[in-house]
Amino acid sequence: DTEVTQTPKHLVMGMTNKKSLKCEQHMGHRAMYWYKQKAKKPPELMFVYSYEKLSINESVPSRFSPECPNSSLLNLHLHALQPEDSALYLCASSSDRGESDTQYFGPGTRLTVL
Amino acid sequence: RKEVEQDPGPFNVPEGATVAFNCTYSNSASQSFFWYRQDCRKEPKLLMSVYSSGNEDGRFTAQLNRASQYISLLIRDSKLSDSATYLCVVKGRGSTLGRLYFGRGTQLTVWP
């Protein structure tokens, strides 16, 4: 089973709201990722967690706050977003056991910031 | 210079056609290479990994030329369902382990 699940599928929020995106995988993967993807562009890496520790933060604004409660779950907390943050947010996971391991993506959360 | 440069496309081909996509990467230390497929408003899905010896999966053939830092994907006998964006992806090595570098993607439309 190569499934990564994400909730919600769609989210509309105002600039003053606080919301969270959730991601879950049960493949025993030890690396999890958040990406942001704008229309007609490739995914852009935001954060990487390896063995539940944040290993990469691509200089993402603090209004995005990742959290990894355990090896199967990854959250992205959102606060005071801007309209330009509207995008598809993708979660991915990989086994992180070697250079050939593959990242599997969830279906994404389509976020609209009003 | 971008890490991964990819044919801009778009490619519009009839059913049954053979189409080839190309991609180059800048970091000679890169070790892992992939083609992902992304349908409109969906997530990227792994199409195939790319190995130096070349690999084939049905109608799809991927090639890697390390000397030229060049990756290709050949699709034979195109189907309508092949219409998608194809992303060339390179995985970093060493301190960038785990990081994927994406090409901009090549859009393919197969028409009946």
Side-chain angles (χ1 to χ4, degrees), chain A residues 44-109:
Chain A
E44 294 173 21
L45 184 65
M46 299 174 73
F47 303 103
V48 181
Y49 273 83
S50 179
Y51 291 84
E52 300 167 47
K53 291 199 167 112
L54 183 65
S55 62
I56 296 176
N57 176 341
E58 287 289 275
S59 303
V60 179
S62 59
R63 58 186 185 268
F64 295 91
S65 175
E67 178 197 16
C68 189
N70 61 55
S71 59
S72 300
L73 292 173
L74 187 65
N75 298 322
L76 186 63
H77 303 298
L78 315 173
H79 174 54
L81 294 194
Q82 304 296 311
E84 58 265 29
D85 296 322
S86 298
L88 179 68
Y89 288 84
L90 294 160
C91 174
S93 70
S94 71
S95 62
D96 199 23
R97 288 199 189 115
E99 290 174 341
S100 62
D101 78 325
T102 306
Q103 288 187 26
Y104 296 93
F105 287 84
T109 293

Side-chain angles (χ1 to χ4, degrees), chain A residues 37 58 99 101 103 106, chain B residues 32 36 38 43 91 98-99:
Chain A
Q37 187 175 26
E58 287 289 275
E99 290 174 341
D101 78 325
Q103 288 187 26
Chain B
S32 303
Y36 278 75
Q38 187 169 24
E43 75 274 25
K91 189 171 180 183
R99 182 192 299 274

Side-chain angles (χ1 to χ4, degrees), chain B residues 25 28 33 52 64-71:
Chain B
Y25 59 96
S28 60
F33 310 90
S52 295
L64 167 65
N65 183 320
R66 285 187 185 274
S68 303
Q69 295 177 211
Y70 173 93
I71 305 161

Side-chain angles (χ1 to χ4, degrees), chain B residues 49-105:
Chain B
S49 302
V50 189
Y51 305 112
S52 295
S53 54
N55 46 305
E56 188 173 309
D57 183 2
R59 300 181 292 108
F60 299 84
T61 301
Q63 295 278 354
L64 167 65
N65 183 320
R66 285 187 185 274
S68 303
Q69 295 177 211
Y70 173 93
I71 305 161
S72 66
L73 176 68
L74 183 76
I75 304 176
R76 290 182 299 279
D77 188 22
S78 299
K79 310 290 184 194
L80 295 176
S81 57
D82 294 334
S83 297
T85 296
Y86 290 83
L87 296 161
C88 177
V89 182
V90 174
K91 189 171 180 183
R93 187 183 186 188
S95 63
T96 59
L97 189 65
R99 182 192 299 274
L100 295 183
Y101 295 94
F102 289 83
R104 291 195 61 176

